[in-house]
Amino acid sequence: MARRPSAVARALERIDRLDPALNAFTEVWPREALAREEAARQLPLRGLPFAVKGPAGIRSYAARRLIAAGGVPVGATSVPGPGTVWQTWGQGAHGRTVNPWRADRTPGGSSAGSAVAVAAGMVELATGSDGAGSVRIPAAWCGVFGLRTTNGLLPSPDRSGLASAGVLARSAAGAERYLRHVLEGYEEPAAPSLPLPAVHSEDLGFAEVDPEVAGVVRAAVDRLVASGTVRLLDADCALLDPVRAWQAVQGGSPEDPQALLVRRANDERLDDLFATAPLLLTPVTPNRPHGHEGPGDRYSTALTWAFNLSGHPAASLPAGFTRDGCPVGLHLVAPRGADASLLAMARAVESALPTARRP
């Protein structure tokens, strides 16, 4: 009987077959990956193939921790090229990174290639980083799970303090596997008690949301309520638009008076919300994936970057599709430091929603 190819060999075969059309990878390391695999099988992750975000990803804290636990890096994924700050697609070895559901649409960014690699089944998980939505947006638009961790929970090279480490995975269980081996002193959370008290906000009080995107998320929330997974509280989450505050902090002016005012007000409102509920539900983006010609007429970050400023952990999981075949993400936000609990809640939410499809 022929021996079944190893997990790393299967990942490399899929990359070789699929990546010329998707352009998720800038580099692939078949020789190094296969050489690592035998020793890695003796460790907790047992040779799990994973991808790293961008050319510097292999040197990140998360990648080093995954390797030490028996993960096998198979390649570096695409990010936007130089001079394309607001272009949310990546540039792979063969050209522009495309959305695996619709090649005429962007996969989102900046963790573009990581999301595409996971969505297409080339790897089980990929590292990312999120300074404005760079994990959650591509997760939403590629139909996979994405987690950004609490600000400061894991080391980050970002001097502004806005970016935190994250992961793209097929499910919350995959992200949980990442966190268990990357976070020093990880403690397994207790199973959440259902129904989860939650607040649903369509627009955080300021965003202009595509009605169809809002409708897909609302249908997912209704299903969670009907299944007994979530109990909606009679409350909303109305924040101040964080765009200028985020730009001030990212630009090196965190003491800007207007930025401080917005951050203080939003922090107080979020503290009040999480004092009564462990979970906030919103759409991940106000829009569906746009074309490759530019960023579209809405900030795709409108519903994500408030939590880079506040530092809360947040996740995206598949909520459904628009009529034109674009994935939509359900945004789950939890109290600061409650990353493990967020993943436990996300697993409960996932189990009540239709199984995520693969493109």
Side-chain angles (χ1 to χ4, degrees):
M1 182 181 293
R3 184 178 178 183
R4 188 168 184 249
S6 68
V8 169
R10 293 196 302 274
L12 291 170
E13 185 277 328
R14 286 186 68 84
I15 294 169
D16 186 60
R17 177 161 47 89
L18 299 176
D19 199 52
L22 295 173
N23 297 318
F25 285 85
T26 57
E27 300 176 23
V28 183
W29 311 312
R31 184 178 302 174
E32 297 91 332
L34 291 168
R36 284 181 188 269
E37 186 175 23
E38 185 173 352
R41 285 189 190 132
Q42 313 308 313
L43 298 169
L45 286 176
R46 301 184 180 279
L48 175 78
F50 72 95
V52 298
K53 177 184 176 179
I58 193 64
R59 299 192 297 275
S60 69
Y61 176 82
R64 297 198 307 270
R65 294 280 295 178
L66 290 171
I67 292 168
V72 177
V74 296
T77 59
S78 64
V79 294
T84 58
V85 177
W86 290 109
Q87 291 181 358
T88 56
W89 55 85
Q91 189 71 20
H94 306 284
R96 183 175 61 197
T97 309
V98 302
N99 191 304
W101 292 95
R102 285 194 52 164
D104 63 331
R105 305 293 176 94
T106 171
S110 62
S111 304
S114 287
V116 173
V118 171
M122 291 187 271
V123 290
E124 292 189 39
L125 64 83
T127 64
S129 58
D130 188 316
S134 291
V135 163
R136 291 163 288 163
I137 293 168
W141 286 356
C142 291
V144 298
F145 187 91
L147 169 73
R148 68 150 258 126
T149 54
T150 297
N151 288 15
L153 185 73
L154 297 170
S156 170
D158 177 47
R159 294 182 180 180
S160 74
L162 294 169
S164 64
V167 63
L168 289 299
R170 289 295 302 166
S171 66
E176 202 171 51
R177 202 174 185 189
Y178 161 94
L179 194 64
R180 184 181 300 118
H181 294 289
V182 169
L183 178 61
E184 191 78 45
Y186 173 85
E187 294 184 11
E188 199 76 37
S193 179
L194 303 181
L196 299 164
V199 172
H200 171 238
S201 177
E202 179 177 299
D203 57 10
L204 292 178
F206 62 83
E208 182 185 346
V209 180
D210 178 331
E212 193 175 351
V213 169
V216 170
V217 170
R218 180 75 233 194
V221 172
D222 288 345
R223 182 168 183 144
L224 295 175
V225 172
S227 68
T229 305
V230 160
R231 174 173 61 88
L232 288 183
L233 302 183
D234 186 17
D236 195 8
C237 181
L239 303 181
L240 301 179
D241 190 341
V243 55
R244 297 192 187 281
W246 186 93
Q247 289 170 345
V249 175
Q250 196 273 339
S253 302
E255 301 304 316
D256 175 83
Q258 185 63 27
L260 289 173
L261 178 67
V262 170
R263 295 184 77 178
R264 188 176 300 117
N266 284 351
D267 282 350
E268 290 173 356
R269 295 177 192 190
L270 289 168
D271 288 346
D272 289 345
L273 184 151
F274 287 119
T276 60
L279 192 61
L280 170 63
L281 304 172
T282 79
V284 175
T285 64
N287 51 350
R288 66 193 77 195
H290 53 74
H292 292 281
E293 70 283 351
D297 58 2
R298 287 183 174 97
Y299 279 121
S300 58
T301 53
L303 298 169
T304 53
W305 53 9
F307 306 107
N308 296 88
L309 283 167
S310 68
H312 291 81
S316 172
L317 62 81
F321 293 81
T322 57
R323 287 189 295 271
D324 58 353
C326 294
V328 174
L330 173 63
H331 202 193
L332 281 64
V333 187
R336 298 179 191 90
D339 301 63
S341 296
L342 172 60
L343 290 176
M345 291 187 286
R347 290 186 73 165
V349 167
E350 274 183 341
S351 69
L353 295 176
T355 302
R357 305 205 308 262
R358 180 171 287 183

